[in-house]
Amino acid sequence: MKTLKIINQNGSCCTTNAIEFQETVNNSNKNLPIVIIGAGPIGLASAAHLVEQEQAFILLEAGYEIAHNIRTWGHVTLFSPWRYNINKAAKALLDISGWVEPNLDTLPTGHELIDLYLKPLSELVQIKPNIQLNTKVVGISRQLNDKMKTKNRADQSFIIYIEQENDIRVIEAKAVIDATGTWGNPNPANSTGVWLKNEKALADHIEYGIPDINTNPKRYANKKVAVIGGGHSAINTLLALAELQKDNSATKLVWIMRKRSVEEAYGGEEKDALAARGALGIRIHELVDTGKVEVITPFYISQVKKEENIHIVGTINGEQKVLTGFEELIVNAGNRPDLSINSELRLSIDSATESVQALAPLIDPNVHSCGTVRAHGEEILRQPEKDFYIVGAKSYGRAPTFLMATGYEQVRSITAYLSGDEEASKRVELELPETGVCSINLVNQSNTCC
């Protein structure tokens, strides 16, 4: 990092030296890179667009490999086919390298998304030298300014503090794109969204998200397991556990959710416009009807705690009830953004969704599915902190309506703007089918994800 000193001879706050210093900072900022945080699909798409725009960049990834978070759910199959998960700028670079494109009409797993697309993209000569792995961002601020300081703020470079091998380093940037996502920062089992120490103390007996049951079947075999959540993630988790149950008949599965009735979770079944989505509802419906899965709903959890076994405390139909006898819990209650690294920046965040504020009305899950969120770009995602952007799943906060293709359109617009092409940043280049892209499920697979 460059260090600039002001030598003030007369102690004045408004000397020629101070003016000259500011001009120096302004000029040097133009030569600084754009820093992208998070080397998942959206972060790598940002890099591809910056290559296209001939902009210098640095891509920081906390994991030991690119898309580290996706690797943790690599067994999961995406809802949308390949054609909606490949970024156009990335494809253009890959095609030049001789990359073999996958069948665009098939649905990739998380592992396939990395191995067949993201990894080859990250290894391109235009991108690989700019990636720093095992690099954790711990905070972002402005050169010489904390959050409170206003004077000349927009002209100061960004300062990104990173941890690498137990050492602290500092990177300067002229702009920052935060594509860190929300995976790995789950919501608790508690229906009020509050994390309690009792739940944290059960960390060895709770998994969040969709675990790969086959990697450690003994953990769940012949045990009483509660799956908490009423969405597709919970259904897919239950379907995987039901496969385990076939060879381990003492496995007891309890599905706990807040929906008024379990029928709300089944979807359209045979009448569903999408046969694959309907098939998912049919399969879980059958498991419930045959008693292989016990359903408790509408149940509002107030806490989980360890007694002789795990107790789940809550209310059902206004009456308090304690569910007992559980040995393992799987919580599918969604995720939330971690804004701690952005705490010294001036942000506009919606108080309900924790999304980018201007985006909130477009993505409200009470109104929208991911297929009805209209295209949006730099102007919607613009923050009070000039040239800082939150993109991808993190820009949606707690809303579960994010679609990868929408994230690609976000970063296409933002990188165009940062490169000085305001006209391109205002164009809409997102193309999606009218229905189904965010909710297709494989008929013969138990794991799906959007």
Side-chain angles (χ1 to χ4, degrees):
M1 184 182 78
K2 298 178 181 177
T3 303
L4 301 175
K5 295 183 178 179
I6 301 176
I7 302 175
N8 230 338
Q9 299 296 330
N10 58 10
S12 167
C13 67
C14 304
T15 64
T16 302
N17 285 336
I19 296 171
E20 290 174 351
F21 167 72
Q22 186 58 52
E23 290 177 349
T24 302
V25 171
N26 288 345
N27 291 332
S28 65
N29 283 355
K30 295 178 181 179
N31 299 319
L32 291 173
I34 296 169
V35 166
I36 307 162
I37 308 173
I42 309 305
L44 282 162
S46 302
H49 281 288
L50 290 173
V51 169
E52 189 177 59
Q53 298 283 356
E54 299 183 348
Q55 295 288 315
F57 67 91
I58 298 173
L59 178 54
L60 307 176
E61 167 59 46
Y64 63 89
E65 68 169 338
I66 56 101
H68 175 74
N69 277 342
I70 291 180
R71 188 65 80 184
T72 65
W73 54 265
H75 61 288
V76 176
T77 302
L78 278 69
F79 281 173
S80 50
W82 272 112
R83 67 174 65 256
Y84 300 113
N85 294 312
I86 298 173
N87 173 260
K88 289 181 180 180
K91 182 181 184 303
L93 293 175
L94 286 165
D95 285 345
I96 295 172
S97 73
W99 171 68
V100 178
E101 184 178 75
N103 183 335
L104 296 180
D105 294 319
T106 60
L107 309 186
T109 64
H111 289 316
E112 289 170 339
L113 186 68
I114 296 173
D115 298 333
L116 302 182
Y117 168 53
L118 297 177
K119 190 174 181 181
L121 178 60
S122 71
E123 291 178 345
L124 294 177
V125 67
Q126 304 98 318
I127 293 178
K128 185 175 182 178
N130 304 308
I131 297 177
Q132 296 185 26
L133 300 176
N134 294 308
T135 301
K136 181 182 179 181
V137 174
V138 295
I140 311 166
S141 192
R142 288 280 193 176
Q143 175 76 282
L144 305 180
N145 285 331
D146 62 16
K147 194 174 189 175
M148 288 287 293
K149 301 299 187 294
T150 299
K151 187 177 181 180
N152 299 322
R153 184 176 188 85
D155 296 320
Q156 304 295 335
S157 60
F158 288 95
I159 303 298
I160 299 102
Y161 292 88
I162 62 174
E163 289 181 357
Q164 288 180 324
E165 298 180 353
N166 298 319
D167 191 20
I168 298 291
R169 290 184 52 230
V170 179
I171 296 176
E172 282 190 68
K174 66 179 179 181
V176 178
I177 299 173
D178 182 349
T180 53
T182 60
W183 194 260
N185 198 42
N187 293 322
N190 190 340
S191 297
T192 62
V194 177
W195 277 97
L196 301 175
K197 67 177 182 179
N198 288 347
E199 183 169 345
K200 294 179 180 179
L202 286 167
D204 290 341
H205 296 280
I206 302 180
E207 287 200 80
Y208 298 86
I210 309 176
D212 188 351
I213 305 299
N214 293 327
T215 61
N216 188 13
K218 291 182 180 180
R219 176 168 182 171
Y220 299 105
N222 299 314
K223 295 180 180 179
K224 186 176 181 181
V225 183
V227 176
I228 299 169
H232 284 110
S233 294
I235 292 174
N236 292 321
T237 298
L238 286 161
L239 292 175
L241 287 168
E243 290 298 312
L244 179 73
Q245 191 182 52
K246 290 178 179 179
D247 296 322
N248 299 274
S249 58
T251 306
K252 184 171 178 56
L253 306 178
V254 181
W255 187 9
I256 302 171
M257 64 180 119
R258 291 180 286 181
K259 293 185 184 297
R260 288 173 298 177
S261 68
V262 67
E263 285 76 16
E264 292 182 23
Y266 295 155
E269 300 185 78
E270 294 90 345
K271 297 179 181 179
D272 200 305
L274 296 169
R277 182 172 62 191
L280 190 68
I282 292 169
R283 292 170 66 196
I284 191 64
H285 194 166
E286 182 182 357
L287 290 174
V288 172
D289 283 353
T290 56
K292 293 183 174 64
V293 173
E294 177 187 356
V295 177
I296 301 177
T297 193
F299 194 86
Y300 293 83
I301 298 172
S302 58
Q303 64 173 309
V304 296
K305 59 183 181 179
K306 185 81 164 85
E307 300 291 342
E308 292 182 2
N309 43 52
I310 300 174
H311 289 195
I312 303 175
V313 182
T315 58
I316 183 167
N317 298 321
E319 296 184 8
Q320 185 168 339
K321 187 173 183 178
V322 180
L323 310 177
T324 63
F326 296 101
E327 297 166 86
E328 296 288 339
L329 306 183
I330 299 175
V331 180
N332 296 132
N335 300 280
R336 60 181 65 180
D338 181 357
L339 297 167
S340 59
I341 65 171
N342 315 129
S343 62
E344 285 304 314
L345 301 176
R346 297 180 177 182
L347 305 181
S348 181
I349 301 296
D350 181 67
S351 60
T353 62
E354 295 184 5
S355 69
V356 174
Q357 189 167 46
L359 184 57
L362 306 181
I363 63 172
D364 183 350
N366 296 300
V367 179
H368 295 284
S369 73
C370 48
T372 63
V373 175
R374 70 175 186 262
H376 53 276
E378 187 277 333
E379 189 172 5
I380 289 290
L381 298 168
R382 191 180 299 171
Q383 289 288 343
E385 196 71 68
K386 186 177 182 296
D387 296 335
F388 173 80
Y389 298 91
I390 297 173
V391 301
K394 188 172 181 177
S395 71
Y396 278 49
R398 299 192 188 194
T401 45
F402 176 69
L403 188 64
M404 203 179 300
T406 308
Y408 291 159
E409 175 67 2
Q410 288 180 341
V411 297
R412 182 206 61 78
S413 173
I414 288 168
T415 54
Y417 183 84
L418 292 175
S419 303
D421 192 346
E422 189 170 353
E423 187 276 328
S425 75
K426 292 180 178 179
R427 288 200 303 265
V428 175
E429 298 185 7
L430 179 65
E431 296 179 6
L432 292 176
E434 293 183 3
T435 182
V437 70
C438 57
S439 51
I440 293 175
N441 298 295
L442 279 176
V443 175
N444 60 350
Q445 294 287 341
S446 65
N447 296 320
T448 55
C449 178
C450 51

